[in-house]
Amino acid sequence: MSKIKPSKGAPYARIMGVGGYRPTRVVPNEVILETIDSSDEWIRSRSGIATRHWASPEETVAAMSIEASGKAIADAGVTPEQIDAVIVSTVSHFKQTPAIATEIADKIGAGKPAAFDISAGCAGFGYGLTLAKGLVVEGSAEHVLVIGVERLSDLTDLEDRATAFLFGDGAGAVVVGPAKEPMIGPTVWGSEGDKADTIKQTVPWDDYRDGTVEKFPAITQEGQAVFRWAVFEMAKVAQQALDAAGIGSEDLDVFIPHQANMRIIDSMVKTLKLPESVTVARDVETTGNTSAASIPLAMERLLATGQAKSGDTALVIGFGAGLVYAATVVTLP
């Protein structure tokens, strides 16, 4: 018989607060058209994107995260000292080590929490949320800060007609803490590694270091393959998340998909047969694709503008490079 005492975690977990940060520079499509042969109409029709935010040198991954985290902590009604773990999802922190989460934890005054980074692309927020829920319920942490942050402008090839217009920068954060009833549903997540090459970094860092290539690495993708996968396969995953939570689409108040492409979002809404009463996040129009930051940024904007309210039931789903995905139903803070 084991001598280990059982964990004393909370019965359930919830999102307690949310915060976001968008860089001050707003970049319209006209700027993108300076380096690719396209048009504003083509970009809008293919992606739904009109503008995106690009970070200045001072708006680092850490700086944006700190701003978003401060808002999330205040919104949650806790203090930085109460944060027991910091999870950061990003692909644009260029230091292999240490994890940027450690710097962020220190700068926000969190004391000595567990702190680590994860790399799960555009599904990173969902992965981080799932880990945070587990920590709270298991008892390893009472309050967990989950951050999705990207400076994808650093990894954008402005001459690549397929991707130059897609990416933006920003940070979104939530605080996850204890709950007395289920407020974060089961996560449906997974990967399809056989399709990993459809979204990838152009070359490894060491190829650039060794002079094998002269062009700085960037993110590239096979647009049509990604579109088909997202539209057909991710709608199935979203439905599985609803089923796992024991609710139907008619029970939803809000739908917050990864802000990859307006056409993907609209197709998923149609496939899922969401009622017109469901508020759908379409933050991609003015924010672009911010990868791991897109869901918390969209969540924060919906709540700030009154399009969603505290206590609403929301379906969130992220999907991207890997190809990886994660979907769950949550109660909004």
Side-chain angles (χ1 to χ4, degrees):
M1 179 179 293
S2 174
K3 297 180 180 179
I4 300 173
K5 294 181 180 180
S7 300
K8 295 182 179 180
Y12 304 104
R14 65 187 175 110
I15 299 176
M16 300 176 63
V18 60
Y21 180 82
R22 292 172 171 81
T24 55
R25 182 187 177 194
V26 177
V27 179
N29 287 337
E30 286 73 19
V31 172
I32 308 298
L33 297 176
E34 294 173 4
T35 52
I36 61 171
D37 179 17
S38 188
S39 67
D40 176 65
E41 180 183 4
W42 187 88
I43 293 174
R44 288 174 185 257
S45 65
R46 300 290 291 183
S47 68
I49 299 172
T51 61
R52 73 285 292 148
H53 296 256
W54 282 355
S56 67
E58 293 75 27
E59 291 169 316
T60 63
V61 167
M64 293 190 293
S65 298
I66 290 165
E67 291 290 332
S69 298
K71 295 176 183 178
I73 291 169
D75 191 46
V78 298
T79 65
E81 293 82 5
Q82 290 177 275
I83 300 297
D84 303 305
V86 178
I87 302 172
V88 177
S89 178
T90 185
V91 298
S92 45
H93 171 51
F94 288 166
K95 288 184 179 179
Q96 194 71 37
T97 192
I100 194 65
T102 57
E103 178 183 343
I104 295 167
D106 176 64
K107 294 291 178 61
I108 65 172
K112 298 180 180 180
F116 58 95
D117 299 349
I118 60 174
S119 176
C122 303
F125 175 74
Y127 275 51
L129 184 65
T130 302
L131 293 172
K133 172 188 173 183
L135 292 174
V136 171
V137 172
E138 188 271 338
S140 294
E142 185 174 9
H143 300 102
V144 182
L145 178 65
V146 179
I147 303 166
V149 57
E150 300 294 0
R151 271 183 55 121
L152 293 181
S153 57
D154 292 336
L155 286 167
T156 298
D157 180 355
L158 293 178
E159 297 178 348
D160 180 2
R161 191 172 183 269
T163 61
F165 57 90
L166 286 176
F167 302 121
D169 303 336
V174 299
V175 174
V176 176
K180 296 180 180 179
E181 58 182 331
M183 300 179 80
I184 301 176
T187 298
V188 177
W189 58 352
S191 65
E192 296 186 34
D194 60 316
K195 301 180 182 66
D197 281 348
T198 56
I199 306 174
K200 63 182 181 181
Q201 185 171 304
T202 49
V203 295
W205 294 112
D206 52 359
D207 279 4
Y208 180 74
R209 180 199 63 191
D210 298 339
T212 306
V213 295
E214 295 183 358
K215 200 167 188 178
F216 193 74
I219 296 173
T220 186
Q221 69 175 31
E222 297 175 16
Q224 288 300 317
V226 173
F227 180 86
R228 289 193 297 270
W229 176 77
V231 168
F232 296 109
E233 298 303 321
M234 291 305 98
K236 298 176 186 177
V237 171
Q239 184 60 56
Q240 290 169 14
L242 290 174
D243 295 342
I247 66 172
S249 59
E250 68 278 3
D251 298 311
L252 277 181
D253 300 304
V254 185
F255 179 43
I256 311 177
H258 165 49
Q259 302 294 292
N261 180 304
M262 194 75 78
R263 292 168 62 210
I264 292 175
I265 294 171
D266 290 342
S267 295
M268 291 183 71
V269 169
K270 183 178 180 179
T271 302
L272 288 167
K273 299 179 180 178
L274 296 184
E276 291 186 7
S277 60
V278 175
T279 297
V280 180
R282 291 188 170 89
D283 195 42
V284 67
E285 180 180 5
T286 56
T287 306
N289 180 343
T290 56
S291 189
S294 79
I295 290 175
L297 277 174
M299 183 185 295
E300 186 258 357
R301 174 164 280 175
L302 289 177
L303 289 166
T305 58
Q307 296 176 72
K309 63 183 184 301
S310 175
D312 278 353
T313 300
L315 169 63
V316 300
I317 179 170
F319 44 86
L323 292 168
V324 296
Y325 54 88
T328 188
V329 175
V330 303
T331 300
L332 295 182

